Amino acid sequence: PDGDGATWAAMWQLLAQTGMRKAEVALEDGGRFGKFAISWDNIKWVIGGTPYPALTPALRNMMTDGDMLIVRPPPSKSDPFALRWGISPMYLPYSESAPICAARAMADLEILRRPPEGKRAKTPLFTTAAGAPMRRANVTKHFDAWMERVGAARGWAPGDSKKFSVHSFRVHLACALAAAGASDARIQSMLRWASVDALNCYKQTKVETYGAWARRPSST
C-alpha cells in the first residue's frame, strides 16, 4: 500500500498514544494541503531539557529516556479552527525500549523525511511513497490490509478484522486510560472531546474489570 514502513510505524504509534482522528493525519479525498492540515510544523522536540523546532541527526543520536516529542493538534471535528486544543500540545515521552513509542518512531521518520529549513509548515507530516500528502483512503486501505494479516495470523473468524477501524485506536486509548485510573476529565482532555457525552460513548469497561467488580459483593 501507499507509504513506507517508517511512515506507517510513525502514524500508527502516534494514533495509539494520542487517539488522533484519521481526519487529523490525512487529507480527505480530493482535499488540498493547506495551513489547516497537519505538517512538520506541528512537531517539536525537547532534548536534554532544551526545546528544538526540528530534529537533526546529531540531536537524534543524543535522544534518551525523558526527552519529549511535542505535537500541536491540528484542527479537528470538535475544534475546526484549532482554537481550543491547538494551544494544548500533546507531550509524548521518548523511550528506547517501550513497544509503542510515538516519539521514537517520529524521530526516525524525521531523519528520513526532514523537510528543508523554512519549509516545515509547507510539508505534510505524512506522505505516500511518491511524496504526495496522505489521503484518508490510503490510511483506511493500509489499516484494513494489516488487520487482515493480523486476523489470519491469530486465527480470527472470517470477517472479524472488519470489526476494527482506524478509530479503534481512539476507543482503545480511552478504555486503557480508564483502566489505568485516569479521571473522566483527564481522558476527555487527552482525547480532546468537547463534551462528556462523547467520552461516555467511547469509554468502556474491560470484561475482566467488570467481572472483578461483579465478584466483589459475593466476597464481602
Side-chain angles (χ1 to χ4, degrees):
D2 289 334
D4 56 32
T7 297
W8 295 120
M11 180 184 290
W12 298 145
Q13 292 184 63
L14 185 63
L15 266 59
Q17 287 197 297
T18 64
M20 293 177 73
R21 302 170 178 89
K22 177 170 59 177
E24 294 174 292
V25 296
L27 297 180
E28 63 181 338
D29 300 337
R32 297 181 61 184
F33 177 78
K35 65 179 181 179
F36 289 120
I38 194 167
S39 71
W40 280 102
D41 192 48
N42 291 80
I43 299 296
K44 309 295 183 207
W45 302 91
V46 175
I47 302 172
T50 302
Y52 294 94
L55 195 66
T56 65
L59 288 172
R60 175 65 182 93
N61 290 335
M62 291 169 54
M63 292 186 75
T64 186
D65 289 8
D67 293 331
M68 289 277 181
L69 163 66
I70 304 175
V71 182
R72 176 169 50 85
S76 64
K77 180 171 61 176
S78 62
D79 186 18
F81 299 104
L83 297 176
R84 180 172 185 175
W85 305 115
I87 59 174
S88 301
M90 296 175 279
Y91 298 90
L92 305 177
Y94 178 86
S95 171
E96 283 288 352
S97 57
I100 298 176
C101 179
R104 187 177 66 233
M106 285 301 307
D108 291 340
L109 182 64
E110 177 152 356
I111 295 305
L112 289 173
R113 301 282 181 268
R114 186 160 56 97
E117 186 174 351
K119 300 290 186 180
R120 291 181 77 82
K122 297 180 179 180
T123 306
L125 183 62
F126 297 113
T127 61
T128 66
M134 191 67 75
R135 304 282 175 180
R136 297 176 198 175
N138 302 137
V139 177
T140 298
K141 177 182 177 182
H142 189 269
F143 180 88
D144 289 348
W146 271 105
M147 291 310 300
E148 288 288 347
R149 294 184 186 184
V150 170
R154 297 189 176 184
W156 291 355
D160 277 0
S161 63
K162 298 299 183 182
K163 297 177 181 178
F164 300 92
S165 70
V166 177
H167 219 62
S168 297
F169 286 112
R170 195 164 174 79
V171 177
H172 169 75
L173 183 58
C175 296
L177 287 169
S183 67
D184 284 358
R186 181 172 295 280
I187 298 171
Q188 183 180 346
S189 175
M190 289 184 68
L191 280 102
R192 294 164 293 116
W193 277 307
S195 71
V196 176
D197 290 341
L199 165 65
N200 291 333
C201 288
Y202 283 83
K203 190 184 70 172
Q204 304 167 21
T205 302
K206 288 186 176 181
V207 172
E208 297 83 0
T209 302
Y210 191 106
W213 278 104
R215 286 194 298 271
R216 288 196 177 193
S218 60
S219 63
T220 58

